[in-house]
Amino acid sequence: MLHSFTRNYNDLSTEAGFQFEFFCDCCGNGVKSSFMESSTYGQRQRSERTGRLASTIGNLLGGRANDLGWALERGSDFLSSRFSEQSPEWRREQEQAFDAAQAEVRPLFKKCPACNKWVCSDCWNEDEGLCTDCAPRESSYVAQARSQAMRRNIDEAAETATVWQGKIETRTTVCPQCGKPAGKGKFCNYCGAPLGTQRCPNCGAQVALGLKFCGECGSPMQKSGKCPNCGFENEPGMKFCGECGAKL
């Protein structure tokens, strides 16, 4: 069983050789060890080449030479099957390669005495002798705090900033006449119907122009606004004449 100085590692070994990658417990960056060729794999390759050569000679000469080639090829197949099942020899090679990989990579990591994490040089605070999770570098922490304060100041200023000074008017988004999107103008882009609103003469609710009845109380919207005193034509729903002030 492989025993690593850090929990975060990955075995990249193949049948041809051994290689391992060890990861920083803080940032997750990995460091790969040098590739080490498997001697078991090399023996297998040489055996296969010898078997193929002997088989070729045997086909040419026949007889015992052919039998020799068949025997060597069979022995090569046997070694191949043992290797695919990870033979004890291959396991021993793997353990030795893993120990060598750790000896190669371990000097590139530091163990934090506060949290016991193994970290790379980028995540190690030399001044404090701790990882940057336990003791952030002062310059980096100050820069981060300034950036956070700047974002808060911008957000607070944005809350009180006046970014639009137009006149707010009540508009309908769907034309009450044709039922299509009305657009941004005072009249429908499709049928030309007016898009403003008027007050209900009964309840005072805002009702789109062109509607005959109030959607809030059901009262008719065509009540005359003509002043009985001066004859001025007021907007429907006005309670007093805009010309003389008489009650409508």
Side-chain angles (χ1 to χ4, degrees):
M1 184 177 180
L2 304 180
H3 297 283
S4 173
F5 67 93
T6 175
R7 298 185 303 272
N8 297 325
Y9 73 92
N10 189 21
D11 189 349
L12 305 177
S13 302
T14 64
E15 62 180 9
F18 310 96
Q19 189 176 35
F20 305 88
E21 187 173 16
F22 301 87
F23 300 95
C24 172
D25 288 333
C26 282
C27 66
N29 289 337
V31 179
K32 290 182 180 179
S33 64
S34 302
F35 180 79
M36 299 181 62
E37 184 178 358
S38 169
S39 60
T40 304
Y41 179 75
Q43 292 174 2
R44 173 197 170 197
Q45 294 294 98
R46 289 191 294 271
S47 177
E48 287 179 349
R49 287 195 297 268
T50 303
R52 286 194 296 269
L53 177 62
S55 178
T56 301
I57 296 174
N59 289 332
L60 294 175
L61 300 179
R64 291 185 177 180
N66 193 16
D67 293 340
L68 175 61
W70 176 81
L72 290 173
E73 279 192 325
R74 184 178 179 185
S76 175
D77 293 340
F78 177 71
L79 289 175
S80 176
S81 64
R82 286 185 61 199
F83 180 79
S84 64
E85 295 176 357
Q86 297 179 342
S87 65
E89 292 81 1
W90 188 91
R91 287 291 188 184
R92 284 193 293 270
E93 276 193 297
Q94 182 194 32
E95 292 178 357
Q96 294 172 359
F98 188 67
D99 292 339
Q102 290 193 92
E104 175 188 356
V105 172
R106 186 168 179 173
L108 303 178
F109 288 83
K110 298 283 188 179
K111 185 178 182 181
C112 177
C115 63
N116 293 324
K117 291 180 180 178
W118 285 92
V119 300
C120 64
S121 58
D122 292 338
C123 298
W124 181 252
N125 188 337
E126 292 286 353
D127 296 333
E128 301 296 336
L130 298 171
C131 72
T132 53
D133 280 355
C134 296
R137 295 185 181 92
E138 181 179 351
S139 58
S140 300
Y141 193 78
V142 169
Q144 182 183 22
R146 285 175 55 86
S147 177
Q148 292 174 352
M150 179 187 67
R151 288 197 294 265
R152 288 196 302 270
N153 293 340
I154 293 174
D155 292 339
E156 292 170 358
E159 289 293 332
T160 58
T162 301
V163 295
W164 187 74
Q165 296 180 344
K167 184 179 179 180
I168 298 178
E169 298 178 351
T170 303
R171 299 286 179 85
T172 54
T173 57
V174 177
C175 177
Q177 189 71 25
C178 64
K180 294 183 178 180
K184 297 181 179 180
K186 295 181 178 181
F187 299 90
C188 177
N189 294 337
Y190 289 90
C191 67
L195 299 175
T197 60
Q198 58 183 335
R199 285 183 176 275
C200 172
N202 183 48
C203 66
Q206 292 289 341
V207 181
L209 292 177
L211 296 181
K212 296 181 179 180
F213 296 92
C214 174
E216 188 72 24
C217 65
S219 299
M221 297 298 298
Q222 299 300 325
K223 186 175 181 180
S224 175
K226 186 175 181 180
C227 176
N229 183 42
C230 66
F232 181 75
E233 287 290 345
N234 294 279
E235 291 290 332
M238 298 288 289
K239 295 182 179 180
F240 296 92
C241 177
E243 183 69 22
C244 66
K247 187 175 182 180
L248 301 177

